């Protein structure tokens, strides 16, 4: 089980590593001063491709669930992320966003009924401190709007992670289709705001097209499919802490390709971030197996709060029914024999 959890973590961490390359791609390949347009192009094409390929649309209550998840995980989250980036230095914005695992920890206790452990709290503190050492610089400053947007973005993403964990996926819907629904909803929420606030660039170069293609196909379609797979298979807090790999990847890529300096403090921050991820992974590996969730009652509309995927309760086998009937009849037979002895 530990090997499987390690593989799932190693695969899931690829998503924030890819997202860490967003700054490099945006500054080197995309048109300047159009971050919302980049976010819309990042989400919408990949979402439409996956939705069309899946040939399915949400049904029933899943319409509002997908609207909520698409907004929390992508649409509103991207918007608040860019508002924070405009009002705060990059390091401060990243530090404010690193509070996300704390929100996940609290929401997991409330909605998933998970027990908060000291090791998990320590991982959150260590990871946030590591991000601070990675990204904070002497130009760091605070702005009320930027801080509020950063905290709101962290709360959105945390809520999206926990609700995705709680609701799972609809029965019979594949992971890629589920990912496509959320990307499409998020992109449709961002696109009108981007067109109204930024408009379209006058012309596009081949570098711009390559940058948009990377963000859409690799940064969204592939990365979010891996991310949602990780949410299904790993504890919510573990997934959230893996997000610390994003500023770590951005720092390393900036050092390798943009010739940005790497100080000893940043090196210590990188070690702290890795330590936080390993600490959370070790904590989740020691957790006991959760009991099987209760079967849903027809027409109840309720689901297990810890379901990580669609619930497909298997019908009871005839042998199981015979064993159950035998167990239920045994006390009756014994009580009848006891009554006969008392009468005699």
């Amino acid at each position: 089980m530990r090997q499987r959890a390690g593989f799932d973590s190693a695969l899931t961490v690829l998503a924030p590593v890819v997202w860490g390359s967003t700054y490099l791609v945006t500054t080197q390949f995309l048109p300047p001063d159009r971050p919302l347009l980049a976010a819309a192009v990042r989400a919408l094409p990949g979402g439409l491709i996956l939705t069309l390929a899946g040939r399915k649309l949400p049904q029933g209550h899943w319409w509002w669930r997908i609207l909520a998840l698409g907004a929390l995980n992508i649409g509103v989250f991207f918007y608040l992320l860019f508002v924070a980036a405009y009002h705060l230095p990059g390091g401060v914005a990243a530090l404010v966003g690193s509070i996300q695992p704390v929100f996940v920890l609290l929401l997991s206790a409330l909605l998933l009924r998970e027990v908060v452990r000291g090791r998990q709290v320590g991982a959150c503190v260590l990871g946030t401190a590591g991000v601070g050492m990675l990204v904070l610089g002497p130009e760091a400053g605070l702005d009320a709007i930027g801080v509020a947007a950063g905290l709101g973005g962290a709360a959105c993403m945390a809520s999206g992670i926990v609700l995705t964990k709680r609701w799972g996926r609809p029965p019979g819907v594949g992971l890629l289709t589920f990912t496509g629904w959320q990307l499409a909803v998020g992109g449709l929420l961002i696109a009108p705001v981007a067109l109204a606030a930024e408009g379209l660039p006058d012309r596009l170069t081949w570098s711009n097209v390559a940058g948009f293609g990377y963000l859409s196909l690799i940064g969204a379609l592939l990365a979010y499919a891996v991310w949602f797979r990780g949410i299904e298979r790993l504890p919510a807090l573990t997934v959230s802490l893996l997000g610390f790999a994003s500023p770590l990847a951005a720092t390393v890529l900036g050092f390798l390709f943009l010739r940005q300096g790497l100080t000893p403090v940043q090196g210590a921050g990188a070690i702290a971030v890795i330590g936080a991820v390993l600490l959370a992974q070790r904590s989740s590996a020691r957790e006991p197996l959760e009991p099987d969730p209760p079967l849903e009652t027809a027409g109840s509309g309720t689901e297990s709060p810890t379901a990580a995927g669609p619930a497909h309760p298997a019908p009871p086998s005839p042998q199981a029914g015979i064993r159950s009937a035998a167990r239920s009849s045994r006390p009756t037979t014994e009580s009848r024999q006891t009554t006969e002895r008392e009468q005699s």
Side-chain angles (χ1 to χ4, degrees):
M1 181 173 293
R2 288 189 177 183
Q3 291 180 348
R4 180 178 177 181
F7 172 79
D8 290 336
S9 296
L11 185 60
T12 305
V13 80
L14 292 178
V17 168
V18 169
W19 296 334
S21 66
T22 300
Y23 176 78
L24 175 65
V25 173
T26 300
T27 57
Q28 301 300 308
F29 294 95
L30 298 188
D33 301 325
R34 282 179 170 83
L36 288 176
L37 178 63
V41 175
R42 176 181 174 184
L44 190 55
L48 294 178
I49 290 172
L50 292 179
T51 301
L52 291 174
R55 298 182 180 180
K56 284 186 179 181
L57 291 176
Q59 301 292 327
H61 62 270
W62 273 102
W63 274 109
W64 69 263
R65 286 186 175 183
I66 290 300
L67 289 174
L69 293 178
L72 292 172
N73 284 323
I74 297 164
V76 178
F77 169 69
F78 279 175
Y79 177 74
L80 293 175
L81 186 68
F82 286 121
V83 171
Y86 273 123
H87 287 82
L88 295 173
V92 177
L95 183 61
V96 172
S98 70
I99 200 70
Q100 180 199 119
V102 177
F103 289 140
V104 170
L105 194 64
L106 297 176
L107 290 173
S108 296
L110 292 174
L111 299 179
L112 304 182
R113 299 179 182 177
E114 294 182 356
V115 179
V116 177
R117 292 176 169 82
R119 191 186 300 271
Q120 296 172 326
V121 176
C124 291
V125 173
L126 183 61
T128 302
V131 171
M133 289 186 285
L134 271 174
V135 299
L136 283 182
E139 75 283 357
L142 296 180
D143 175 90
I145 296 177
V147 171
L151 292 175
C156 275
M157 192 63 169
S159 302
I161 290 174
V162 174
L163 288 178
T164 302
K165 186 76 174 177
R166 178 183 174 89
W167 291 337
R169 276 187 281 135
V173 174
L175 177 62
L176 293 180
T177 301
F178 184 67
T179 302
W181 291 348
Q182 296 189 54
L183 288 173
V185 167
L188 289 173
L189 289 175
I190 301 172
V193 180
L195 293 176
E198 299 173 354
L200 297 174
D202 297 331
R203 66 185 186 91
L204 290 176
T205 66
W206 286 110
S207 296
N208 299 153
V209 173
F212 283 128
Y214 174 84
L215 290 182
S216 180
L217 298 178
I218 306 299
L221 190 154
L222 177 62
Y224 271 101
V226 170
W227 184 249
F228 291 138
R229 178 190 179 276
I231 293 176
E232 290 186 352
R233 296 170 181 261
L234 296 169
L237 180 63
T238 301
V239 176
S240 181
L241 286 169
L242 290 176
F244 285 149
S246 185
L248 177 60
T251 302
V252 173
L253 290 174
F255 172 75
L256 293 176
F257 295 100
L258 302 180
R259 298 181 180 179
Q260 296 176 347
L262 189 63
T263 66
V265 173
Q266 288 177 311
I271 295 174
V273 166
I274 295 172
V277 173
L278 294 177
L279 186 61
Q281 180 67 33
R282 185 178 178 185
S283 176
S284 64
R286 289 190 173 189
E287 291 180 0
L289 293 176
E290 297 179 356
D292 292 335
L295 300 182
E296 296 182 19
T297 303
S300 65
T302 58
E303 300 180 21
S304 166
T306 57
H312 296 290
S317 64
Q319 291 80 2
I322 294 172
R323 288 194 297 269
S324 176
R327 285 194 299 267
S328 61
S329 64
R330 190 176 299 124
T332 304
T333 303
E334 293 175 354
S335 61
R336 188 180 302 145
Q337 292 175 354
T338 303
T339 304
E340 291 175 356
R341 287 196 298 270
E342 290 177 352
Q343 292 176 351
S344 62

